[in-house]
Amino acid sequence: MDERRRHQVSLRGASAREISRDALLEKVSHERELRNYTRRATAAALFIQRVWRRYNSTRIVAMRLKGEWEALVKDHDNVYMTRTWISNSILRPFLFFVTFLSFQCQRNEGDVDCIRNGFQILMESIASTDPNKNFCSLATGTLEERRIWTYQAKRLICFCSFILGECDSSRSQCQEIVMLASSAMRLLVILTDPKGWKGINNEDLNDANKAANDLVQFLGSSQSGFYLSIRRYICKLDASFSSPVKGVVQSDDGFLVAASAITLALRPFHITNLDRKDCHLSDSQSAAEQFFVLLLTIPWFPQRIPTVLVPALRHKSVLTPCFRSLMVLKEKMLVEIAKIDQYKTPIKVIPPVGWALANIVYLAIDGERNSVEPQRFTQGFDLMSYVHVGIILLENLLTFLEDVGSIKQDDEPCDDTAEAAAEPLGVILRQTEVTFGSAKMSFIDLFRPVCQQWHLMDLLAASKKDASRSSVSPQKTNFDHPRKLELLDIIYFYSHMLQIFSILNPMVGSLPLLNILSFTPRFLVNLWIVLEDSLSLKEHDFVIKDDRRQNKVSSIDGAFEKIQKRSFKDGSNKWVNVLHKITGKSPADVDHLDSYAQPGPSRVDEDTIDAWHIEPLRRGPQGVSKDISCLLHLFCASYSHLLLVLDDIEFYEKQIPFTLEQQRKIAAMLNTLVYNGLTNNSGQHGRAIMRTAIRCLHLLYERDCRHQFCPPALWLSPAKKNRPPVATAARAHDVLSADMRSEDASDFPSVGSVITTTPHVFPFEERVQMFRELIKMDKVSRRMAGEVSGPGPGSVEIVVRRGHIVEDGFQQLNSLGSKLKSSIHVSFVSECGLPEAGLDYGGLSKEFLTDLSKAAFSPEYGLFSQTSTSDRHLIPNTAARFLENGIQMIEFLGRVVGKALYEGILLDYSFSHIFVQKLLGRYSFVDELSTLDPELYRNLMFVKHYDGDVKELSLDFTVMEELFGKQHVIELKPGGKDVPVTNENKLQYVHAIADYKLNRQILPFSNAFYRGLTDLIFPSWLKLFNASEFNQLLSGGNHDIDIDDLRRNTRYTGGYSESSRTVKLFWEVITGFEPKERCLLLKFVTSCSRAPLLGFKYLQPTFTIHKVACDVPLWATIAGQDVDRLPSASTCYNTLKLPTYKRPSTLRAKLLYAINSNAGFELS
């Protein structure tokens, strides 16, 4: 035997099987648990038996007492009923058997009759004038009688509350229960009102009042269960959304039940207000807490009860205690509200706290929703408590809705199809529209008073009144005098309400609310003043440096009126002078809107950029307080809405609502906030702020692009210190654009989201480099996929007739789509029908694209026309839809422009600002009409600002359109020819005209052009630029060229070199040219009058000077003669064929003659 087994001891004897120690312990533990379970099961069985025996014995006794009671009641007419007899012989057994018998589970006609008889005896007794027969006279008797009466009365309240909860007046088979509930409510009304006790003497009136008050306080406590029963009853009623005059149609008994229940529910409030000295604060809070938690959270609570009862609910003695209870017991009451069972209410999506908010808004208004009279807050209504309670409920509701939205997205199964995307929460919440009969009403309709201007004006007036009162006397902080209503409270209220509207009303959004926030006088100005103080912007100095001097302008200067005893400082003239230096305009030009210079990309002094960075916003929304967050959200949402309808006259000339200096501060603030919010993780906390801030920033930036009011350094400021390299930024942008829509970029903080959302923080030159880098990466990926991207076998081969270049190009290339990215091999056929000699190594394809665009974009061709402005920009011709293949031709031209952008070929054309806005996916507004039709814009502004009666102008909602010499009437809305323009709808008329001209009229053409353009250029690439930058990307840089840059990037062929005499003369001559002449020279050689945006290094093919040998006899040279031959050009290869001139005067004369002759290769 080995040593290990020798020392092993058997615990069960030598004959038993060996068992380890762990196994033995586990077995013992299992047996112990089994014995414990057996003991618990035995104890539970004994407990069940005891309960059942008790219940059975009690039931037997109750049945016996019921039989004896019924026999006693039948002969009660022959018995002299005293109050003691009623209490001991009638009420005592009655309360016993009705509590324990089967009435709660299986009601029958006998039980109902029994209970009704008991109620009838009690009411007859209470109506008796004999104190000995009046049951309620026990309340003024001896101490023992009072105690018994109070106990039995409370038991009656509980039982009657139970009957009310079981009542359902909407079911015809429950009419007996409705009648019983009516009797029960009448009994409670009499029992709690000592005025109905007929047998009470004047000496006992105080005792009777005290006893009744005790019952009313018990009624308002949670022990009675009365408010819970009212909730169960009202939730079974139908809501009425019809005219308030009709009210809720109910039977007499149903009406009495509802009226009595509401009357009893309000009695604790009236007792509290009439006798505050004898009422404890906890008692009053209990009733208010129960009323708020159980009744105000009922869906459509005011609409479910009879209309005549609603004014009683609106009284300040009811709502004010409820509001104060929530403010004192916020955490406790919100937990209780969240636990409420909605008793099969029609809507499960909206939580009880949402219905509480909607009901409070409805009850706060004095006047019905469909009333002709203007609505106002109820007289004496506590607006401070109303706003603070609204904030508490809005925050809780907003948290709930955001959690529902996030849970919905988390639970959504992953799928690559668009149908599998998470359904918006607002689509789900549209189910809150409920139909009762023929009337409809949705949850969001209950907030209609909040969307009216008087609502905001009254709140602002109350806050101003409180502010003036607090300056006179110190603010009290006790219960009767809560703290004042402040502007910040109103900001919280409307900020949260905006978010609720956006979530619950996805079709309309928060538009009704934004209308009143944007157009309420001075509200936006007051918001900005508070925001300016909060961010300490008035101590922030902004610095602008131009080429000649540096002006330091404090941000507190401005020509606007301050409130709250602010000082007046005027720095507008200084800013106007600075603005003139930036735009290059004289002061006289300010009177004309069209005089604002179109901003172009220019190099900015990096030292001026830091001045526009707002330090308090360096961390974005995460770095600001909750107060500032709400303030920012409300300001950005309201101002972005106002910017949609604010015309340039109001913005630039009248400077309403802000001066240009303030506009620059606002732009700098938003720019810093958005950039830092994107680069830092703003999280769920800052998502609403970021959405509104981005929208407001884009509107300001687009207005600045149209008519500059901000220095370029302002837009570049946030990204100065941490801009990534161009290649890195381009790759980040490409990855982000591939993974998600650009509109959602703000939800993913990264470099890519910054470029997608706010590309303007990068200098224009860097964005052009990003664009070229993105195209380069696309070409690499296509090569890796096996596509042909350069000249050679596999490229697209076409044959084009010189006289039909547009038609041939359309027929052969239009069907290629994105394959047009491949190299094009062009063979030209002369007008004589003979093939032209030569090989295409890129030059002929460039010539083809430039000649095709020159012909197709010509107004004579009919596809595009020129605007009536001095710029003569191109815009689709509305008559093009009547041409053969007109829409398809415009789509093809979109591909031509896309091909030019893809290959870096410059086209000497610029499109209208409005048309480019459509290509960039942006909506056009009324001010942009000035770039299309200045005369129409001036006429519309005349109508908008007309001081008299617009009816005198005899306008209607139609517009005249001329097609092929005939006038056609276009209605701006259905029946527009019969709708006159009035002072009330003139703003709608102005925007309807602008919408037709800017959007509806050119939408089919812009969509077609966009389809063609995006076959080659991804939409996210286009969004790197604004409208003017897009035109410069297409047609080149400024109207002059950099001679030194051109000289460094020029190639010499045919025997020329940089040291050649003629070459030196050439550079000397063009240096002395005027800018316009240099541009003509560039167009003569390259077919485009503008230089490449990134310099001549990126000109393809390279700018070339080719030697044309022209020998002049020696005697002619001695006589002063020079070469007579003119210079020529080969635009397809960007080559200047320059003869060997000997004198600069000759070279200058010949060159000027050639570039002004509108010829090139023909001069050879």
Side-chain angles (χ1 to χ4, degrees):
M1 178 180 294
D2 58 86
E3 190 68 20
R4 183 175 57 86
R5 288 187 57 85
R6 180 182 302 172
H7 296 284
Q8 184 174 359
V9 180
S10 174
L11 301 178
R12 301 189 60 185
S15 61
R17 185 177 179 181
E18 298 296 336
I19 183 172
S20 65
R21 182 176 180 275
D22 293 339
L24 177 61
L25 292 176
E26 182 179 357
K27 180 179 179 181
V28 172
S29 176
H30 176 72
E31 292 174 351
R32 185 183 298 110
E33 291 179 359
L34 183 60
R35 289 193 297 271
N36 290 336
Y37 173 78
T38 305
R39 282 195 297 270
R40 290 195 303 270
T42 303
L46 293 175
F47 176 77
I48 292 173
Q49 291 174 4
R50 286 197 301 271
V51 171
W52 168 251
R53 284 196 298 268
R54 179 179 180 275
Y55 169 77
N56 193 42
S57 300
T58 304
R59 185 175 180 275
I60 293 173
V61 173
M63 291 295 294
R64 179 174 57 81
L65 289 176
K66 178 184 176 186
E68 296 174 354
W69 187 87
E70 290 177 343
L72 181 63
V73 169
K74 288 182 180 179
D75 297 333
H76 80 280
D77 293 335
N78 301 325
V79 180
Y80 180 75
M81 296 186 299
T82 64
R83 61 185 186 182
T84 305
W85 183 81
I86 292 175
S87 175
N88 295 333
S89 302
I90 297 294
L91 191 55
R92 183 177 180 183
F94 175 79
L95 291 174
F96 181 82
F97 69 74
V98 296
T99 304
F100 293 101
L101 287 184
S102 59
F103 176 77
Q104 299 182 17
C105 301
Q106 298 178 354
R107 294 180 293 273
N108 53 61
E109 187 175 353
D111 294 334
V112 174
D113 291 339
C114 177
I115 297 170
R116 188 184 297 115
N117 290 334
F119 289 163
Q120 183 66 29
I121 292 173
L122 285 173
M123 285 188 287
E124 289 176 357
S125 172
I126 297 173
S128 175
T129 57
D130 186 357
N132 292 326
K133 292 184 178 181
N134 194 315
F135 168 71
C136 289
S137 62
L138 292 173
T140 61
T142 64
L143 181 62
E144 182 65 19
E145 288 177 339
R146 294 179 184 181
R147 185 184 62 82
I148 294 174
W149 181 87
T150 301
Y151 173 78
Q152 292 179 339
K154 289 181 179 180
R155 291 284 301 275
L156 276 174
I157 290 175
C158 294
F159 181 64
C160 292
S161 299
F162 171 77
I163 294 176
L164 176 64
E166 294 295 314
C167 180
D168 187 357
S169 60
S170 62
R171 299 172 60 182
S172 58
Q173 60 269 29
C174 297
Q175 291 306 311
E176 291 185 355
I177 304 300
V178 174
M179 295 174 63
L180 180 62
S182 177
S183 299
M185 292 300 102
R186 285 201 300 271
L187 175 61
L188 288 188
V189 170
I190 296 174
L191 197 62
T192 55
D193 184 7
K195 295 179 181 179
W197 302 352
K198 302 298 183 182
I200 304 300
N201 300 323
N202 293 333
E203 295 81 5
D204 300 329
L205 191 59
N206 291 334
D207 293 337
N209 288 331
K210 187 176 183 306
N213 288 350
D214 291 340
L215 285 187
V216 172
Q217 292 174 16
F218 175 76
L219 191 71
S221 66
S222 59
Q223 298 175 359
S224 66
F226 183 67
Y227 287 106
L228 180 60
S229 298
I230 295 179
R231 178 185 179 86
R232 296 178 61 188
Y233 172 73
I234 293 180
C235 283
K236 299 171 187 175
L237 299 178
D238 289 340
S240 173
F241 304 139
S242 57
S243 174
V245 178
K246 299 179 180 179
V248 181
V249 180
Q250 293 180 331
S251 63
D252 292 340
D253 288 323
F255 177 82
L256 288 175
V257 171
S260 301
I262 296 301
T263 300
L264 290 168
L266 299 182
R267 277 197 173 165
F269 298 95
H270 298 154
I271 294 297
T272 301
N273 286 277
L274 290 175
D275 192 10
R276 291 189 65 93
K277 294 182 179 180
D278 297 333
C279 177
H280 296 288
L281 185 61
S282 59
D283 296 330
S284 62
Q285 281 187 348
S286 176
E289 179 182 348
Q290 293 287 308
F291 189 91
F292 194 106
V293 172
L294 295 173
L295 297 189
L296 288 181
T297 57
I298 297 175
W300 298 290
F301 171 52
Q303 290 79 18
R304 293 179 186 271
I305 64 176
T307 307
V308 295
L309 301 177
V310 175
L313 298 178
R314 289 193 169 113
H315 197 270
K316 63 180 181 180
S317 63
V318 177
L319 292 180
T320 301
C322 294
F323 293 166
R324 293 178 177 175
S325 295
L326 182 65
M327 290 188 288
V328 173
L329 306 172
K330 180 176 70 172
E331 300 298 333
K332 175 188 174 185
M333 290 180 62
L334 289 178
V335 171
E336 293 178 356
I337 291 175
K339 294 179 180 179
I340 288 178
D341 179 14
Q342 298 191 37
Y343 296 101
K344 300 180 181 179
T345 50
I347 296 303
K348 295 291 185 181
V349 178
I350 301 297
V353 70
W355 292 112
L357 177 65
N359 292 331
I360 287 172
V361 170
Y362 183 89
L363 294 175
I365 310 307
D366 186 11
E368 298 298 332
R369 182 168 61 95
N370 299 325
S371 177
V372 178
E373 298 179 0
Q375 296 180 331
R376 280 292 181 268
F377 284 110
T378 305
Q379 186 176 5
F381 188 67
D382 186 0
L383 293 180
M384 186 281 300
S385 300
Y386 167 72
V387 172
H388 282 279
V389 168
I391 293 171
I392 294 172
L393 298 178
L394 282 167
E395 289 177 346
N396 193 273
L397 177 60
L398 193 58
T399 302
F400 171 83
L401 296 177
E402 290 174 349
D403 292 343
V404 169
S406 61
I407 293 173
K408 171 75 178 174
Q409 294 176 2
D410 293 340
D411 292 343
E412 193 71 30
C414 296
D415 198 329
D416 292 336
T417 61
E419 290 77 11
E423 187 178 9
L425 179 62
V427 176
I428 306 171
L429 296 176
R430 271 183 293 180
Q431 300 171 1
T432 56
E433 185 181 82
V434 175
T435 303
F436 287 91
S438 60
K440 282 186 177 181
M441 190 177 188
S442 65
F443 173 78
I444 206 68
D445 287 335
L446 296 173
F447 296 98
R448 191 173 299 176
V450 181
C451 301
Q452 298 177 7
Q453 193 173 51
W454 65 262
H455 187 277
L456 175 59
M457 295 291 289
D458 285 358
L459 293 180
L460 293 174
S463 67
K464 186 176 180 180
K465 184 177 180 181
D466 285 353
S468 61
R469 185 186 300 131
S470 63
S471 63
V472 176
S473 61
Q475 186 69 35
K476 299 181 180 180
T477 57
N478 57 33
F479 187 75
D480 292 328
H481 299 278
R483 69 186 183 90
K484 63 182 180 180
L485 177 63
E486 299 177 350
L487 178 61
L488 188 60
D489 301 324
I490 302 174
I491 291 170
Y492 266 94
F493 182 87
Y494 278 99
S495 175
H496 295 329
M497 193 66 75
L498 276 176
Q499 298 179 60
I500 296 296
F501 268 72
S502 300
I503 297 174
L504 297 184
N505 201 12
M507 301 301 294
V508 181
S510 52
L511 182 62
L513 201 55
L514 288 173
N515 284 334
I516 65 112
L517 292 173
S518 302
F519 298 109
T520 298
R522 291 198 62 81
F523 180 65
L524 267 174
V525 176
N526 292 340
L527 286 184
W528 171 246
I529 291 173
V530 177
L531 189 58
E532 191 179 26
D533 286 340
S534 302
L535 296 177
S536 302
L537 293 182
K538 62 179 184 175
E539 287 98 14
H540 194 80
D541 289 338
F542 298 119
V543 180
I544 301 179
K545 180 189 294 184
D546 60 13
D547 294 336
R548 290 170 293 177
R549 64 174 181 167
Q550 177 174 316
N551 291 330
K552 183 175 180 180
V553 184
S554 175
S555 69
I556 61 174
D557 295 339
F560 65 98
E561 182 182 349
K562 295 284 189 175
I563 66 171
Q564 298 177 350
K565 299 182 179 180
R566 293 180 176 271
S567 59
F568 292 82
K569 292 187 179 180
D570 185 10
S572 57
N573 293 332
K574 188 183 299 184
W575 268 108
V576 169
N577 292 333
V578 174
L579 183 62
H580 294 158
K581 296 180 184 299
I582 296 172
T583 58
K585 294 295 179 180
S586 62
D589 294 333
V590 178
D591 294 334
H592 306 282
L593 283 180
D594 294 335
S595 66
Y596 282 91
Q598 293 292 339
S602 60
R603 299 192 178 276
V604 182
D605 190 342
E606 294 290 327
D607 295 335
T608 67
I609 294 181
D610 285 337
W612 297 99
H613 189 78
I614 311 301
E615 184 63 22
L617 300 175
R618 65 183 182 278
R619 293 178 54 205
Q622 285 292 96
V624 298
S625 65
K626 187 178 179 182
D627 293 349
I628 298 180
S629 296
C630 285
L631 185 56
L632 282 169
H633 174 256
L634 188 63
F635 177 81
C636 294
S638 304
Y639 191 43
S640 60
H641 184 70
L642 181 63
L643 283 171
L644 299 179
V645 296
L646 204 64
D647 60 62
D648 284 347
I649 295 176
E650 296 167 326
F651 190 92
Y652 292 99
E653 292 187 1
K654 297 182 179 180
Q655 299 189 20
I656 299 174
F658 302 113
T659 64
L660 291 180
E661 177 194 351
Q662 290 175 305
Q663 300 286 7
R664 285 186 278 272
K665 290 187 193 177
I666 294 171
M669 176 199 70
L670 294 175
N671 204 36
T672 306
L673 173 68
V674 171
Y675 178 81
N676 292 327
L678 292 173
T679 53
N680 299 284
N681 187 3
S682 59
Q684 187 72 25
H685 165 73
R687 185 165 297 181
I689 305 175
M690 289 297 293
R691 288 197 188 102
T692 56
I694 289 172
R695 177 172 175 78
C696 192
L697 177 65
H698 284 171
L699 290 172
L700 283 174
Y701 177 69
E702 289 176 10
R703 192 177 289 263
D704 182 70
C705 293
R706 218 170 51 245
H707 300 297
Q708 188 180 39
F709 65 92
C710 292
L714 186 151
W715 304 112
L716 303 176
S717 174
K720 175 199 172 185
K721 297 180 180 179
N722 55 353
R723 279 202 303 269
V726 171
T728 303
R731 288 180 175 83
H733 177 273
D734 188 55
V735 170
L736 187 69
S737 301
D739 291 343
M740 52 182 295
R741 300 190 309 271
S742 60
E743 288 80 4
D744 299 329
S746 60
D747 294 337
F748 296 86
S750 64
V751 174
S753 62
V754 171
I755 303 171
T756 306
T757 308
T758 55
H760 60 260
V761 300
F762 292 82
F764 177 65
E765 293 80 5
E766 291 188 11
R767 281 181 279 135
V768 175
Q769 294 178 33
M770 291 180 204
F771 181 77
R772 302 312 311 173
E773 184 69 23
L774 288 168
I775 292 177
K776 180 180 178 181
M777 290 190 297
D778 185 68
K779 290 181 177 180
V780 171
S781 63
R782 289 177 54 245
R783 274 198 303 269
M784 294 176 64
E787 297 184 30
V788 178
S789 57
S795 60
V796 179
E797 297 187 3
I798 59 173
V799 178
V800 179
R801 295 171 294 173
R802 286 285 184 183
H804 301 81
I805 190 169
V806 178
E807 294 79 2
D808 290 350
F810 173 73
Q811 292 177 1
Q812 299 179 62
L813 297 179
N814 187 50
S815 60
L816 294 180
S818 61
K819 294 182 180 178
L820 197 58
K821 291 180 179 180
S822 302
S823 179
I824 301 177
H825 183 277
V826 183
S827 298
F828 282 105
V829 176
S830 66
E831 295 182 357
C832 300
L834 299 176
E836 295 183 0
L839 299 175
D840 184 6
Y841 291 103
L844 294 180
S845 59
K846 174 180 177 291
E847 181 182 357
F848 163 71
L849 289 175
T850 54
D851 290 351
L852 187 151
S853 62
K854 180 179 180 181
F857 288 124
S858 173
E860 289 77 15
Y861 199 83
L863 293 176
F864 279 77
S865 59
Q866 293 179 332
T867 62
S868 57
T869 61
S870 59
D871 299 324
R872 314 299 292 174
H873 287 160
L874 295 174
I875 193 168
N877 190 345
T878 55
R881 63 179 181 270
F882 300 108
L883 300 177
E884 183 180 1
N885 298 323
I887 298 296
Q888 291 86 346
M889 287 288 288
I890 290 179
E891 183 176 346
F892 169 66
L893 291 181
R895 296 191 179 94
V896 171
V897 171
K899 178 66 174 177
L901 291 173
Y902 194 80
E903 301 296 342
I905 298 173
L906 299 180
L907 301 178
D908 201 11
Y909 301 98
S910 294
F911 294 107
S912 169
H913 180 92
I914 298 164
F915 181 60
V916 179
Q917 284 284 85
K918 297 293 172 295
L919 303 182
L920 300 180
R922 295 163 189 161
Y923 194 82
S924 296
F925 299 98
V926 62
D927 296 309
E928 298 174 45
L929 188 61
S930 60
T931 64
L932 177 65
D933 192 338
E935 183 179 359
L936 176 60
Y937 176 75
R938 285 192 295 269
N939 293 337
L940 289 180
M941 290 302 100
F942 173 79
V943 173
K944 180 179 178 180
H945 299 285
Y946 188 66
D947 295 331
D949 189 357
V950 178
K951 285 185 178 180
E952 300 171 355
L953 304 179
S954 301
L955 299 173
D956 54 28
F957 278 78
T958 60
V959 63
M960 300 295 294
E961 184 175 353
E962 183 177 355
L963 291 174
F964 304 110
K966 294 183 179 180
Q967 298 286 339
H968 298 270
V969 177
I970 307 296
E971 290 187 340
L972 300 175
K973 64 179 182 179
K977 62 182 180 181
D978 300 322
V979 180
V981 179
T982 63
N983 288 338
E984 289 73 24
N985 62 12
K986 65 180 181 180
L987 189 61
Q988 181 183 358
Y989 169 77
V990 168
H991 286 273
I993 290 280
D995 178 63
Y996 176 77
K997 289 290 185 180
L998 301 177
N999 299 299
R1000 292 165 53 189
Q1001 193 174 40
I1002 68 170
L1003 190 61
F1005 311 103
S1006 60
N1007 286 343
F1009 196 93
Y1010 177 81
R1011 289 194 299 270
L1013 179 63
T1014 53
D1015 277 344
L1016 288 90
I1017 306 297
F1018 290 106
S1020 60
W1021 299 357
L1022 295 175
K1023 291 181 180 179
L1024 291 172
F1025 310 100
N1026 58 44
S1028 61
E1029 291 170 345
F1030 175 86
N1031 278 328
Q1032 295 182 60
L1033 185 70
L1034 178 65
S1035 59
N1038 298 326
H1039 293 282
D1040 197 1
I1041 61 176
D1042 186 346
I1043 301 297
D1044 295 333
D1045 180 47
L1046 177 60
R1047 189 169 187 171
R1048 286 192 301 268
N1049 296 281
T1050 298
R1051 188 167 62 96
Y1052 305 97
T1053 60
Y1056 274 149
S1057 66
E1058 190 173 1
S1059 59
S1060 301
R1061 173 178 172 79
T1062 303
V1063 171
K1064 292 180 179 180
L1065 290 178
F1066 171 79
W1067 294 118
E1068 179 184 339
V1069 167
I1070 67 171
T1071 301
F1073 276 2
E1074 295 293 331
K1076 181 179 180 180
E1077 294 171 336
R1078 285 194 288 266
C1079 291
L1080 287 175
L1081 170 64
L1082 190 61
K1083 185 174 183 178
F1084 177 75
V1085 179
T1086 67
S1087 74
C1088 184
S1089 61
R1090 297 187 181 184
L1093 292 174
L1094 301 180
F1096 287 97
K1097 176 182 178 181
Y1098 293 89
L1099 181 65
Q1100 294 295 331
T1102 304
F1103 189 90
T1104 303
I1105 299 179
H1106 182 76
K1107 181 178 180 179
V1108 178
C1110 298
D1111 295 331
V1112 179
L1114 181 60
W1115 61 270
T1117 303
I1118 297 174
Q1121 295 183 6
D1122 204 345
V1123 177
D1124 289 332
R1125 184 170 181 173
L1126 291 171
S1128 60
S1130 178
T1131 56
C1132 55
Y1133 293 107
N1134 295 337
T1135 298
L1136 173 65
K1137 300 177 180 179
L1138 187 65
T1140 54
Y1141 298 109
K1142 301 297 188 294
R1143 293 183 175 85
S1145 58
T1146 305
L1147 191 151
R1148 176 183 176 84
K1150 298 291 185 181
L1151 199 56
L1152 287 175
Y1153 181 86
I1155 63 178
N1156 285 285
S1157 63
N1158 292 324
F1161 185 78
E1162 296 88 341
L1163 298 176
S1164 299

